[in-house]
PDB file of all heavy atoms in Angstrom:
ATOM      1  N   PHE A   1     -20.087 -39.414 -82.456  1.00 95.00           N
ATOM      2  CA  PHE A   1     -19.429 -38.382 -83.273  1.00 95.00           C
ATOM      3  C   PHE A   1     -20.557 -37.485 -83.831  1.00 95.00           C
ATOM      4  O   PHE A   1     -21.055 -37.710 -84.905  1.00 95.00           O
ATOM      5  CB  PHE A   1     -18.646 -39.073 -84.390  1.00 95.00           C
ATOM      6  CG  PHE A   1     -17.732 -38.165 -85.177  1.00 95.00           C
ATOM      7  CD1 PHE A   1     -16.584 -37.667 -84.619  1.00 95.00           C
ATOM      8  CD2 PHE A   1     -18.040 -37.826 -86.484  1.00 95.00           C
ATOM      9  CE1 PHE A   1     -15.709 -36.854 -85.355  1.00 95.00           C
ATOM     10  CE2 PHE A   1     -17.208 -37.009 -87.207  1.00 95.00           C
ATOM     11  CZ  PHE A   1     -16.033 -36.513 -86.652  1.00 95.00           C
ATOM     12  N   ASP A   2     -20.931 -36.486 -83.057  1.00 95.00           N
ATOM     13  CA  ASP A   2     -22.059 -35.630 -83.368  1.00 95.00           C
ATOM     14  C   ASP A   2     -21.614 -34.406 -84.152  1.00 95.00           C
ATOM     15  O   ASP A   2     -21.641 -33.292 -83.674  1.00 95.00           O
ATOM     16  CB  ASP A   2     -22.798 -35.203 -82.075  1.00 95.00           C
ATOM     17  CG  ASP A   2     -24.044 -34.420 -82.334  1.00 95.00           C
ATOM     18  OD1 ASP A   2     -24.607 -34.498 -83.447  1.00 95.00           O
ATOM     19  OD2 ASP A   2     -24.490 -33.705 -81.416  1.00 95.00           O
ATOM     20  N   ARG A   3     -21.240 -34.599 -85.377  1.00 93.00           N
ATOM     21  CA  ARG A   3     -20.735 -33.529 -86.241  1.00 93.00           C
ATOM     22  C   ARG A   3     -21.828 -32.524 -86.616  1.00 93.00           C
ATOM     23  O   ARG A   3     -21.548 -31.376 -86.877  1.00 93.00           O
ATOM     24  CB  ARG A   3     -20.133 -34.187 -87.491  1.00 93.00           C
ATOM     25  CG  ARG A   3     -19.464 -33.247 -88.432  1.00 93.00           C
ATOM     26  CD  ARG A   3     -17.991 -33.189 -88.106  1.00 93.00           C
ATOM     27  NE  ARG A   3     -17.346 -32.545 -89.199  1.00 93.00           N
ATOM     28  CZ  ARG A   3     -17.021 -31.258 -89.190  1.00 93.00           C
ATOM     29  NH1 ARG A   3     -17.232 -30.533 -88.144  1.00 93.00           N
ATOM     30  NH2 ARG A   3     -16.472 -30.712 -90.244  1.00 93.00           N
ATOM     31  N   ALA A   4     -23.096 -32.977 -86.610  1.00 95.00           N
ATOM     32  CA  ALA A   4     -24.206 -32.105 -86.983  1.00 95.00           C
ATOM     33  C   ALA A   4     -24.772 -31.325 -85.765  1.00 95.00           C
ATOM     34  O   ALA A   4     -25.709 -30.562 -85.907  1.00 95.00           O
ATOM     35  CB  ALA A   4     -25.325 -32.890 -87.650  1.00 95.00           C
ATOM     36  N   ASN A   5     -24.220 -31.598 -84.595  1.00 95.00           N
ATOM     37  CA  ASN A   5     -24.684 -30.963 -83.362  1.00 95.00           C
ATOM     38  C   ASN A   5     -26.190 -31.156 -83.136  1.00 95.00           C
ATOM     39  O   ASN A   5     -26.913 -30.213 -82.839  1.00 95.00           O
ATOM     40  CB  ASN A   5     -24.334 -29.480 -83.336  1.00 95.00           C
ATOM     41  CG  ASN A   5     -22.839 -29.250 -83.320  1.00 95.00           C
ATOM     42  OD1 ASN A   5     -22.110 -29.912 -82.579  1.00 95.00           O
ATOM     43  ND2 ASN A   5     -22.371 -28.360 -84.164  1.00 95.00           N
ATOM     44  N   LEU A   6     -26.642 -32.388 -83.284  1.00 95.00           N
ATOM     45  CA  LEU A   6     -28.033 -32.723 -83.103  1.00 95.00           C
ATOM     46  C   LEU A   6     -28.357 -33.167 -81.687  1.00 95.00           C
ATOM     47  O   LEU A   6     -29.519 -33.188 -81.304  1.00 95.00           O
ATOM     48  CB  LEU A   6     -28.448 -33.842 -84.088  1.00 95.00           C
ATOM     49  CG  LEU A   6     -28.327 -33.499 -85.566  1.00 95.00           C
ATOM     50  CD1 LEU A   6     -28.638 -34.731 -86.405  1.00 95.00           C
ATOM     51  CD2 LEU A   6     -29.211 -32.358 -85.924  1.00 95.00           C
ATOM     52  N   LEU A   7     -27.344 -33.547 -80.922  1.00 96.00           N
ATOM     53  CA  LEU A   7     -27.556 -34.108 -79.595  1.00 96.00           C
ATOM     54  C   LEU A   7     -27.192 -33.095 -78.518  1.00 96.00           C
ATOM     55  O   LEU A   7     -26.174 -32.433 -78.606  1.00 96.00           O
ATOM     56  CB  LEU A   7     -26.692 -35.355 -79.399  1.00 96.00           C
ATOM     57  CG  LEU A   7     -26.894 -36.482 -80.434  1.00 96.00           C
ATOM     58  CD1 LEU A   7     -25.813 -37.537 -80.305  1.00 96.00           C
ATOM     59  CD2 LEU A   7     -28.284 -37.077 -80.322  1.00 96.00           C
ATOM     60  N   ASP A   8     -28.052 -33.052 -77.491  1.00 95.00           N
ATOM     61  CA  ASP A   8     -27.669 -32.197 -76.345  1.00 95.00           C
ATOM     62  C   ASP A   8     -26.597 -32.924 -75.556  1.00 95.00           C
ATOM     63  O   ASP A   8     -26.455 -34.157 -75.656  1.00 95.00           O
ATOM     64  CB  ASP A   8     -28.896 -31.824 -75.506  1.00 95.00           C
ATOM     65  CG  ASP A   8     -29.552 -33.010 -74.851  1.00 95.00           C
ATOM     66  OD1 ASP A   8     -28.893 -33.673 -74.005  1.00 95.00           O
ATOM     67  OD2 ASP A   8     -30.722 -33.310 -75.149  1.00 95.00           O
ATOM     68  N   PRO A   9     -25.833 -32.213 -74.734  1.00 95.00           N
ATOM     69  CA  PRO A   9     -24.732 -32.844 -73.989  1.00 95.00           C
ATOM     70  C   PRO A   9     -25.175 -34.026 -73.109  1.00 95.00           C
ATOM     71  O   PRO A   9     -24.451 -35.010 -73.021  1.00 95.00           O
ATOM     72  CB  PRO A   9     -24.158 -31.714 -73.150  1.00 95.00           C
ATOM     73  CG  PRO A   9     -24.532 -30.478 -73.889  1.00 95.00           C
ATOM     74  CD  PRO A   9     -25.849 -30.758 -74.538  1.00 95.00           C
ATOM     75  N   GLY A  10     -26.351 -33.944 -72.506  1.00 95.00           N
ATOM     76  CA  GLY A  10     -26.831 -35.035 -71.668  1.00 95.00           C
ATOM     77  C   GLY A  10     -27.093 -36.298 -72.477  1.00 95.00           C
ATOM     78  O   GLY A  10     -26.742 -37.394 -72.059  1.00 95.00           O
ATOM     79  N   ALA A  11     -27.700 -36.147 -73.661  1.00 96.00           N
ATOM     80  CA  ALA A  11     -27.971 -37.308 -74.530  1.00 96.00           C
ATOM     81  C   ALA A  11     -26.674 -37.898 -75.021  1.00 96.00           C
ATOM     82  O   ALA A  11     -26.508 -39.123 -75.044  1.00 96.00           O
ATOM     83  CB  ALA A  11     -28.842 -36.883 -75.692  1.00 96.00           C
ATOM     84  N   GLU A  12     -25.734 -37.040 -75.407  1.00 96.00           N
ATOM     85  CA  GLU A  12     -24.435 -37.531 -75.889  1.00 96.00           C
ATOM     86  C   GLU A  12     -23.703 -38.319 -74.809  1.00 96.00           C
ATOM     87  O   GLU A  12     -23.146 -39.388 -75.065  1.00 96.00           O
ATOM     88  CB  GLU A  12     -23.588 -36.378 -76.390  1.00 96.00           C
ATOM     89  CG  GLU A  12     -22.328 -36.823 -77.082  1.00 96.00           C
ATOM     90  CD  GLU A  12     -21.596 -35.701 -77.806  1.00 96.00           C
ATOM     91  OE1 GLU A  12     -22.185 -34.640 -78.045  1.00 96.00           O
ATOM     92  OE2 GLU A  12     -20.413 -35.926 -78.134  1.00 96.00           O
ATOM     93  N   GLN A  13     -23.737 -37.818 -73.590  1.00 96.00           N
ATOM     94  CA  GLN A  13     -23.076 -38.483 -72.492  1.00 96.00           C
ATOM     95  C   GLN A  13     -23.748 -39.835 -72.183  1.00 96.00           C
ATOM     96  O   GLN A  13     -23.078 -40.853 -71.951  1.00 96.00           O
ATOM     97  CB  GLN A  13     -23.083 -37.604 -71.227  1.00 96.00           C
ATOM     98  CG  GLN A  13     -22.317 -38.184 -70.073  1.00 96.00           C
ATOM     99  CD  GLN A  13     -22.303 -37.241 -68.893  1.00 96.00           C
ATOM    100  OE1 GLN A  13     -23.064 -36.292 -68.807  1.00 96.00           O
ATOM    101  NE2 GLN A  13     -21.419 -37.538 -67.953  1.00 96.00           N
ATOM    102  N   ALA A  14     -25.076 -39.859 -72.166  1.00 97.00           N
ATOM    103  CA  ALA A  14     -25.815 -41.107 -71.911  1.00 97.00           C
ATOM    104  C   ALA A  14     -25.516 -42.142 -72.996  1.00 97.00           C
ATOM    105  O   ALA A  14     -25.342 -43.326 -72.673  1.00 97.00           O
ATOM    106  CB  ALA A  14     -27.310 -40.823 -71.801  1.00 97.00           C
ATOM    107  N   LEU A  15     -25.507 -41.718 -74.234  1.00 97.00           N
ATOM    108  CA  LEU A  15     -25.212 -42.625 -75.340  1.00 97.00           C
ATOM    109  C   LEU A  15     -23.790 -43.153 -75.262  1.00 97.00           C
ATOM    110  O   LEU A  15     -23.553 -44.349 -75.430  1.00 97.00           O
ATOM    111  CB  LEU A  15     -25.435 -41.922 -76.671  1.00 97.00           C
ATOM    112  CG  LEU A  15     -26.896 -41.702 -77.081  1.00 97.00           C
ATOM    113  CD1 LEU A  15     -26.986 -40.623 -78.158  1.00 97.00           C
ATOM    114  CD2 LEU A  15     -27.512 -43.002 -77.555  1.00 97.00           C
ATOM    115  N   THR A  16     -22.836 -42.287 -74.963  1.00 96.00           N
ATOM    116  CA  THR A  16     -21.446 -42.698 -74.841  1.00 96.00           C
ATOM    117  C   THR A  16     -21.284 -43.736 -73.747  1.00 96.00           C
ATOM    118  O   THR A  16     -20.587 -44.746 -73.929  1.00 96.00           O
ATOM    119  CB  THR A  16     -20.561 -41.466 -74.584  1.00 96.00           C
ATOM    120  OG1 THR A  16     -20.656 -40.558 -75.682  1.00 96.00           O
ATOM    121  CG2 THR A  16     -19.106 -41.857 -74.384  1.00 96.00           C
ATOM    122  N   SER A  17     -21.929 -43.533 -72.619  1.00 96.00           N
ATOM    123  CA  SER A  17     -21.864 -44.461 -71.506  1.00 96.00           C
ATOM    124  C   SER A  17     -22.464 -45.818 -71.876  1.00 96.00           C
ATOM    125  O   SER A  17     -21.888 -46.879 -71.619  1.00 96.00           O
ATOM    126  CB  SER A  17     -22.579 -43.884 -70.298  1.00 96.00           C
ATOM    127  OG  SER A  17     -22.638 -44.815 -69.238  1.00 96.00           O
ATOM    128  N   LYS A  18     -23.617 -45.803 -72.536  1.00 97.00           N
ATOM    129  CA  LYS A  18     -24.300 -47.026 -72.955  1.00 97.00           C
ATOM    130  C   LYS A  18     -23.440 -47.798 -73.943  1.00 97.00           C
ATOM    131  O   LYS A  18     -23.293 -49.019 -73.865  1.00 97.00           O
ATOM    132  CB  LYS A  18     -25.650 -46.669 -73.574  1.00 97.00           C
ATOM    133  CG  LYS A  18     -26.431 -47.802 -74.089  1.00 97.00           C
ATOM    134  CD  LYS A  18     -27.434 -48.249 -73.072  1.00 97.00           C
ATOM    135  CE  LYS A  18     -28.323 -49.318 -73.667  1.00 97.00           C
ATOM    136  NZ  LYS A  18     -29.148 -49.887 -72.648  1.00 97.00           N
ATOM    137  N   LEU A  19     -22.826 -47.077 -74.885  1.00 96.00           N
ATOM    138  CA  LEU A  19     -21.980 -47.746 -75.896  1.00 96.00           C
ATOM    139  C   LEU A  19     -20.708 -48.343 -75.283  1.00 96.00           C
ATOM    140  O   LEU A  19     -20.273 -49.407 -75.687  1.00 96.00           O
ATOM    141  CB  LEU A  19     -21.645 -46.763 -77.005  1.00 96.00           C
ATOM    142  CG  LEU A  19     -22.847 -46.249 -77.816  1.00 96.00           C
ATOM    143  CD1 LEU A  19     -22.416 -45.161 -78.789  1.00 96.00           C
ATOM    144  CD2 LEU A  19     -23.540 -47.398 -78.537  1.00 96.00           C
ATOM    145  N   ALA A  20     -20.158 -47.650 -74.292  1.00 95.00           N
ATOM    146  CA  ALA A  20     -18.964 -48.182 -73.610  1.00 95.00           C
ATOM    147  C   ALA A  20     -19.306 -49.470 -72.859  1.00 95.00           C
ATOM    148  O   ALA A  20     -18.538 -50.435 -72.875  1.00 95.00           O
ATOM    149  CB  ALA A  20     -18.412 -47.132 -72.647  1.00 95.00           C
ATOM    150  N   LYS A  21     -20.461 -49.490 -72.202  1.00 96.00           N
ATOM    151  CA  LYS A  21     -20.881 -50.678 -71.479  1.00 96.00           C
ATOM    152  C   LYS A  21     -21.140 -51.848 -72.421  1.00 96.00           C
ATOM    153  O   LYS A  21     -20.819 -52.984 -72.094  1.00 96.00           O
ATOM    154  CB  LYS A  21     -22.131 -50.373 -70.643  1.00 96.00           C
ATOM    155  CG  LYS A  21     -21.846 -49.491 -69.440  1.00 96.00           C
ATOM    156  CD  LYS A  21     -23.100 -49.106 -68.706  1.00 96.00           C
ATOM    157  CE  LYS A  21     -22.753 -48.141 -67.581  1.00 96.00           C
ATOM    158  NZ  LYS A  21     -23.948 -47.584 -66.943  1.00 96.00           N
ATOM    159  N   LEU A  22     -21.733 -51.566 -73.569  1.00 95.00           N
ATOM    160  CA  LEU A  22     -21.946 -52.628 -74.554  1.00 95.00           C
ATOM    161  C   LEU A  22     -20.620 -53.207 -75.015  1.00 95.00           C
ATOM    162  O   LEU A  22     -20.463 -54.421 -75.067  1.00 95.00           O
ATOM    163  CB  LEU A  22     -22.709 -52.054 -75.780  1.00 95.00           C
ATOM    164  CG  LEU A  22     -22.816 -53.013 -76.986  1.00 95.00           C
ATOM    165  CD1 LEU A  22     -23.641 -54.240 -76.653  1.00 95.00           C
ATOM    166  CD2 LEU A  22     -23.367 -52.290 -78.189  1.00 95.00           C
ATOM    167  N   GLU A  23     -19.673 -52.339 -75.338  1.00 94.00           N
ATOM    168  CA  GLU A  23     -18.388 -52.809 -75.809  1.00 94.00           C
ATOM    169  C   GLU A  23     -17.655 -53.616 -74.727  1.00 94.00           C
ATOM    170  O   GLU A  23     -17.043 -54.659 -75.002  1.00 94.00           O
ATOM    171  CB  GLU A  23     -17.503 -51.636 -76.233  1.00 94.00           C
ATOM    172  CG  GLU A  23     -16.220 -52.052 -76.902  1.00 94.00           C
ATOM    173  CD  GLU A  23     -15.453 -50.908 -77.485  1.00 94.00           C
ATOM    174  OE1 GLU A  23     -16.005 -49.793 -77.609  1.00 94.00           O
ATOM    175  OE2 GLU A  23     -14.271 -51.139 -77.826  1.00 94.00           O
ATOM    176  N   GLU A  24     -17.744 -53.179 -73.486  1.00 93.00           N
ATOM    177  CA  GLU A  24     -17.128 -53.906 -72.378  1.00 93.00           C
ATOM    178  C   GLU A  24     -17.752 -55.283 -72.196  1.00 93.00           C
ATOM    179  O   GLU A  24     -17.053 -56.266 -71.940  1.00 93.00           O
ATOM    180  CB  GLU A  24     -17.270 -53.074 -71.099  1.00 93.00           C
ATOM    181  CG  GLU A  24     -16.562 -53.692 -69.904  1.00 93.00           C
ATOM    182  CD  GLU A  24     -16.704 -52.811 -68.682  1.00 93.00           C
ATOM    183  OE1 GLU A  24     -16.423 -51.599 -68.758  1.00 93.00           O
ATOM    184  OE2 GLU A  24     -17.130 -53.363 -67.622  1.00 93.00           O
ATOM    185  N   ALA A  25     -19.063 -55.362 -72.343  1.00 92.00           N
ATOM    186  CA  ALA A  25     -19.775 -56.618 -72.128  1.00 92.00           C
ATOM    187  C   ALA A  25     -19.640 -57.624 -73.267  1.00 92.00           C
ATOM    188  O   ALA A  25     -19.594 -58.840 -73.055  1.00 92.00           O
ATOM    189  CB  ALA A  25     -21.269 -56.353 -71.858  1.00 92.00           C
ATOM    190  N   THR A  26     -19.545 -57.129 -74.505  1.00 91.00           N
ATOM    191  CA  THR A  26     -19.587 -58.029 -75.669  1.00 91.00           C
ATOM    192  C   THR A  26     -18.390 -57.964 -76.572  1.00 91.00           C
ATOM    193  O   THR A  26     -18.224 -58.818 -77.437  1.00 91.00           O
ATOM    194  CB  THR A  26     -20.810 -57.705 -76.549  1.00 91.00           C
ATOM    195  OG1 THR A  26     -20.645 -56.400 -77.116  1.00 91.00           O
ATOM    196  CG2 THR A  26     -22.100 -57.794 -75.769  1.00 91.00           C
ATOM    197  N   SER A  27     -17.599 -56.937 -76.488  1.00 91.00           N
ATOM    198  CA  SER A  27     -16.502 -56.574 -77.393  1.00 91.00           C
ATOM    199  C   SER A  27     -17.015 -55.983 -78.697  1.00 91.00           C
ATOM    200  O   SER A  27     -16.231 -55.519 -79.527  1.00 91.00           O
ATOM    201  CB  SER A  27     -15.528 -57.721 -77.673  1.00 91.00           C
ATOM    202  OG  SER A  27     -15.987 -58.572 -78.713  1.00 91.00           O
ATOM    203  N   ASP A  28     -18.317 -55.958 -78.917  1.00 94.00           N
ATOM    204  CA  ASP A  28     -18.882 -55.327 -80.115  1.00 94.00           C
ATOM    205  C   ASP A  28     -18.741 -53.803 -79.971  1.00 94.00           C
ATOM    206  O   ASP A  28     -18.962 -53.263 -78.887  1.00 94.00           O
ATOM    207  CB  ASP A  28     -20.372 -55.675 -80.257  1.00 94.00           C
ATOM    208  CG  ASP A  28     -20.582 -57.157 -80.432  1.00 94.00           C
ATOM    209  OD1 ASP A  28     -19.705 -57.856 -80.961  1.00 94.00           O
ATOM    210  OD2 ASP A  28     -21.676 -57.632 -80.050  1.00 94.00           O
ATOM    211  N   GLN A  29     -18.402 -53.143 -81.045  1.00 95.00           N
ATOM    212  CA  GLN A  29     -18.257 -51.705 -80.985  1.00 95.00           C
ATOM    213  C   GLN A  29     -19.337 -51.066 -81.863  1.00 95.00           C
ATOM    214  O   GLN A  29     -19.417 -51.307 -83.049  1.00 95.00           O
ATOM    215  CB  GLN A  29     -16.871 -51.282 -81.506  1.00 95.00           C
ATOM    216  CG  GLN A  29     -16.602 -49.812 -81.270  1.00 95.00           C
ATOM    217  CD  GLN A  29     -15.185 -49.428 -81.685  1.00 95.00           C
ATOM    218  OE1 GLN A  29     -14.663 -49.933 -82.679  1.00 95.00           O
ATOM    219  NE2 GLN A  29     -14.566 -48.554 -80.926  1.00 95.00           N
ATOM    220  N   LEU A  30     -20.155 -50.239 -81.215  1.00 97.00           N
ATOM    221  CA  LEU A  30     -21.216 -49.517 -81.876  1.00 97.00           C
ATOM    222  C   LEU A  30     -20.900 -48.038 -81.795  1.00 97.00           C
ATOM    223  O   LEU A  30     -20.561 -47.529 -80.719  1.00 97.00           O
ATOM    224  CB  LEU A  30     -22.546 -49.805 -81.175  1.00 97.00           C
ATOM    225  CG  LEU A  30     -23.794 -49.080 -81.603  1.00 97.00           C
ATOM    226  CD1 LEU A  30     -24.072 -49.273 -83.090  1.00 97.00           C
ATOM    227  CD2 LEU A  30     -24.998 -49.552 -80.784  1.00 97.00           C
ATOM    228  N   VAL A  31     -20.942 -47.366 -82.941  1.00 97.00           N
ATOM    229  CA  VAL A  31     -20.616 -45.951 -83.037  1.00 97.00           C
ATOM    230  C   VAL A  31     -21.779 -45.222 -83.671  1.00 97.00           C
ATOM    231  O   VAL A  31     -22.344 -45.684 -84.675  1.00 97.00           O
ATOM    232  CB  VAL A  31     -19.314 -45.733 -83.856  1.00 97.00           C
ATOM    233  CG1 VAL A  31     -19.041 -44.264 -84.083  1.00 97.00           C
ATOM    234  CG2 VAL A  31     -18.133 -46.397 -83.184  1.00 97.00           C
ATOM    235  N   LEU A  32     -22.142 -44.076 -83.103  1.00 97.00           N
ATOM    236  CA  LEU A  32     -23.197 -43.232 -83.631  1.00 97.00           C
ATOM    237  C   LEU A  32     -22.567 -41.986 -84.233  1.00 97.00           C
ATOM    238  O   LEU A  32     -21.781 -41.308 -83.579  1.00 97.00           O
ATOM    239  CB  LEU A  32     -24.182 -42.815 -82.529  1.00 97.00           C
ATOM    240  CG  LEU A  32     -25.227 -41.789 -82.925  1.00 97.00           C
ATOM    241  CD1 LEU A  32     -26.258 -42.387 -83.872  1.00 97.00           C
ATOM    242  CD2 LEU A  32     -25.892 -41.221 -81.697  1.00 97.00           C
ATOM    243  N   VAL A  33     -22.929 -41.702 -85.499  1.00 97.00           N
ATOM    244  CA  VAL A  33     -22.380 -40.530 -86.205  1.00 97.00           C
ATOM    245  C   VAL A  33     -23.539 -39.699 -86.726  1.00 97.00           C
ATOM    246  O   VAL A  33     -24.475 -40.231 -87.328  1.00 97.00           O
ATOM    247  CB  VAL A  33     -21.500 -40.980 -87.394  1.00 97.00           C
ATOM    248  CG1 VAL A  33     -20.984 -39.763 -88.145  1.00 97.00           C
ATOM    249  CG2 VAL A  33     -20.353 -41.845 -86.909  1.00 97.00           C
ATOM    250  N   THR A  34     -23.475 -38.394 -86.492  1.00 96.00           N
ATOM    251  CA  THR A  34     -24.407 -37.466 -87.150  1.00 96.00           C
ATOM    252  C   THR A  34     -23.569 -36.520 -88.025  1.00 96.00           C
ATOM    253  O   THR A  34     -22.492 -36.092 -87.603  1.00 96.00           O
ATOM    254  CB  THR A  34     -25.243 -36.624 -86.167  1.00 96.00           C
ATOM    255  OG1 THR A  34     -24.424 -35.676 -85.513  1.00 96.00           O
ATOM    256  CG2 THR A  34     -25.946 -37.507 -85.146  1.00 96.00           C
ATOM    257  N   LEU A  35     -24.046 -36.291 -89.217  1.00 96.00           N
ATOM    258  CA  LEU A  35     -23.364 -35.384 -90.116  1.00 96.00           C
ATOM    259  C   LEU A  35     -24.344 -34.340 -90.611  1.00 96.00           C
ATOM    260  O   LEU A  35     -25.516 -34.651 -90.823  1.00 96.00           O
ATOM    261  CB  LEU A  35     -22.821 -36.133 -91.357  1.00 96.00           C
ATOM    262  CG  LEU A  35     -21.749 -37.220 -91.094  1.00 96.00           C
ATOM    263  CD1 LEU A  35     -21.400 -37.943 -92.388  1.00 96.00           C
ATOM    264  CD2 LEU A  35     -20.510 -36.584 -90.469  1.00 96.00           C
ATOM    265  N   PRO A  36     -23.883 -33.108 -90.819  1.00 96.00           N
ATOM    266  CA  PRO A  36     -24.795 -32.077 -91.317  1.00 96.00           C
ATOM    267  C   PRO A  36     -25.283 -32.406 -92.734  1.00 96.00           C
ATOM    268  O   PRO A  36     -26.424 -32.092 -93.090  1.00 96.00           O
ATOM    269  CB  PRO A  36     -23.978 -30.794 -91.314  1.00 96.00           C
ATOM    270  CG  PRO A  36     -22.565 -31.195 -91.095  1.00 96.00           C
ATOM    271  CD  PRO A  36     -22.558 -32.579 -90.546  1.00 96.00           C
ATOM    272  N   ASN A  37     -24.453 -33.047 -93.531  1.00 96.00           N
ATOM    273  CA  ASN A  37     -24.825 -33.476 -94.877  1.00 96.00           C
ATOM    274  C   ASN A  37     -23.840 -34.506 -95.372  1.00 96.00           C
ATOM    275  O   ASN A  37     -22.833 -34.777 -94.711  1.00 96.00           O
ATOM    276  CB  ASN A  37     -24.902 -32.282 -95.846  1.00 96.00           C
ATOM    277  CG  ASN A  37     -23.570 -31.594 -95.966  1.00 96.00           C
ATOM    278  OD1 ASN A  37     -22.631 -32.167 -96.519  1.00 96.00           O
ATOM    279  ND2 ASN A  37     -23.453 -30.374 -95.451  1.00 96.00           N
ATOM    280  N   LEU A  38     -24.132 -35.080 -96.510  1.00 96.00           N
ATOM    281  CA  LEU A  38     -23.290 -36.127 -97.066  1.00 96.00           C
ATOM    282  C   LEU A  38     -22.349 -35.626 -98.150  1.00 96.00           C
ATOM    283  O   LEU A  38     -21.630 -36.402 -98.768  1.00 96.00           O
ATOM    284  CB  LEU A  38     -24.162 -37.250 -97.645  1.00 96.00           C
ATOM    285  CG  LEU A  38     -25.059 -37.955 -96.632  1.00 96.00           C
ATOM    286  CD1 LEU A  38     -26.062 -38.848 -97.335  1.00 96.00           C
ATOM    287  CD2 LEU A  38     -24.225 -38.726 -95.620  1.00 96.00           C
ATOM    288  N   GLY A  39     -22.312 -34.318 -98.373  1.00 94.00           N
ATOM    289  CA  GLY A  39     -21.406 -33.754 -99.360  1.00 94.00           C
ATOM    290  C   GLY A  39     -21.597 -34.302-100.745  1.00 94.00           C
ATOM    291  O   GLY A  39     -20.636 -34.439-101.517  1.00 94.00           O
ATOM    292  N   GLY A  40     -22.846 -34.619-101.094  1.00 95.00           N
ATOM    293  CA  GLY A  40     -23.136 -35.115-102.452  1.00 95.00           C
ATOM    294  C   GLY A  40     -22.902 -36.606-102.630  1.00 95.00           C
ATOM    295  O   GLY A  40     -23.135 -37.155-103.711  1.00 95.00           O
ATOM    296  N   GLU A  41     -22.435 -37.287-101.600  1.00 96.00           N
ATOM    297  CA  GLU A  41     -22.165 -38.723-101.700  1.00 96.00           C
ATOM    298  C   GLU A  41     -23.411 -39.534-101.290  1.00 96.00           C
ATOM    299  O   GLU A  41     -24.277 -39.015-100.592  1.00 96.00           O
ATOM    300  CB  GLU A  41     -21.004 -39.110-100.776  1.00 96.00           C
ATOM    301  CG  GLU A  41     -19.695 -38.471-101.135  1.00 96.00           C
ATOM    302  CD  GLU A  41     -19.048 -39.055-102.386  1.00 96.00           C
ATOM    303  OE1 GLU A  41     -19.449 -40.117-102.843  1.00 96.00           O
ATOM    304  OE2 GLU A  41     -18.139 -38.385-102.894  1.00 96.00           O
ATOM    305  N   LYS A  42     -23.466 -40.770-101.659  1.00 97.00           N
ATOM    306  CA  LYS A  42     -24.521 -41.672-101.223  1.00 97.00           C
ATOM    307  C   LYS A  42     -24.249 -42.076 -99.783  1.00 97.00           C
ATOM    308  O   LYS A  42     -23.102 -42.259 -99.400  1.00 97.00           O
ATOM    309  CB  LYS A  42     -24.596 -42.912-102.111  1.00 97.00           C
ATOM    310  CG  LYS A  42     -25.044 -42.612-103.524  1.00 97.00           C
ATOM    311  CD  LYS A  42     -25.231 -43.906-104.297  1.00 97.00           C
ATOM    312  CE  LYS A  42     -25.689 -43.638-105.684  1.00 97.00           C
ATOM    313  NZ  LYS A  42     -27.117 -43.424-105.788  1.00 97.00           N
ATOM    314  N   ILE A  43     -25.309 -42.232 -99.014  1.00 96.00           N
ATOM    315  CA  ILE A  43     -25.160 -42.560 -97.593  1.00 96.00           C
ATOM    316  C   ILE A  43     -24.440 -43.892 -97.392  1.00 96.00           C
ATOM    317  O   ILE A  43     -23.654 -44.047 -96.456  1.00 96.00           O
ATOM    318  CB  ILE A  43     -26.514 -42.525 -96.851  1.00 96.00           C
ATOM    319  CG1 ILE A  43     -26.255 -42.477 -95.329  1.00 96.00           C
ATOM    320  CG2 ILE A  43     -27.435 -43.656 -97.296  1.00 96.00           C
ATOM    321  CD1 ILE A  43     -27.476 -42.109 -94.502  1.00 96.00           C
ATOM    322  N   GLU A  44     -24.680 -44.853 -98.300  1.00 96.00           N
ATOM    323  CA  GLU A  44     -23.998 -46.145 -98.196  1.00 96.00           C
ATOM    324  C   GLU A  44     -22.483 -45.983 -98.270  1.00 96.00           C
ATOM    325  O   GLU A  44     -21.741 -46.599 -97.509  1.00 96.00           O
ATOM    326  CB  GLU A  44     -24.464 -47.088 -99.306  1.00 96.00           C
ATOM    327  CG  GLU A  44     -25.918 -47.440 -99.254  1.00 96.00           C
ATOM    328  CD  GLU A  44     -26.789 -46.527-100.113  1.00 96.00           C
ATOM    329  OE1 GLU A  44     -26.362 -45.381-100.426  1.00 96.00           O
ATOM    330  OE2 GLU A  44     -27.890 -46.960-100.462  1.00 96.00           O
ATOM    331  N   LYS A  45     -22.038 -45.139 -99.210  1.00 96.00           N
ATOM    332  CA  LYS A  45     -20.636 -44.907 -99.408  1.00 96.00           C
ATOM    333  C   LYS A  45     -20.006 -44.231 -98.184  1.00 96.00           C
ATOM    334  O   LYS A  45     -18.926 -44.590 -97.744  1.00 96.00           O
ATOM    335  CB  LYS A  45     -20.392 -44.089-100.672  1.00 96.00           C
ATOM    336  CG  LYS A  45     -18.932 -43.813-100.968  1.00 96.00           C
ATOM    337  CD  LYS A  45     -18.753 -43.024-102.232  1.00 96.00           C
ATOM    338  CE  LYS A  45     -17.281 -42.758-102.484  1.00 96.00           C
ATOM    339  NZ  LYS A  45     -17.067 -41.956-103.693  1.00 96.00           N
TER     340      LYS A  45
END
């Protein structure tokens, strides 16, 4: 979920493929999120 537009399309596609393979192999779900900012909130929240 590249909301900050930090990833080029090739990197995003490679990451998406790698994450899908991980989920298929283990059932673990890993999600990568980029945000332009946190809107004044703490990153933990």
Side-chain angles (χ1 to χ4, degrees):
F1 190 73
D2 185 21
R3 186 93 167 98
N5 296 315
L6 298 176
L7 303 170
D8 64 64
E12 188 170 344
Q13 184 177 15
L15 286 161
T16 298
S17 175
K18 178 97 174 171
L19 296 173
K21 289 176 183 171
L22 170 66
E23 188 173 347
E24 185 178 309
T26 66
S27 84
D28 298 331
Q29 188 176 38
L30 175 57
V31 174
L32 172 71
V33 178
T34 70
L35 297 175
N37 62 68
L38 298 170
E41 298 287 345
K42 292 186 179 278
I43 195 166
E44 297 93 338
K45 181 179 179 182

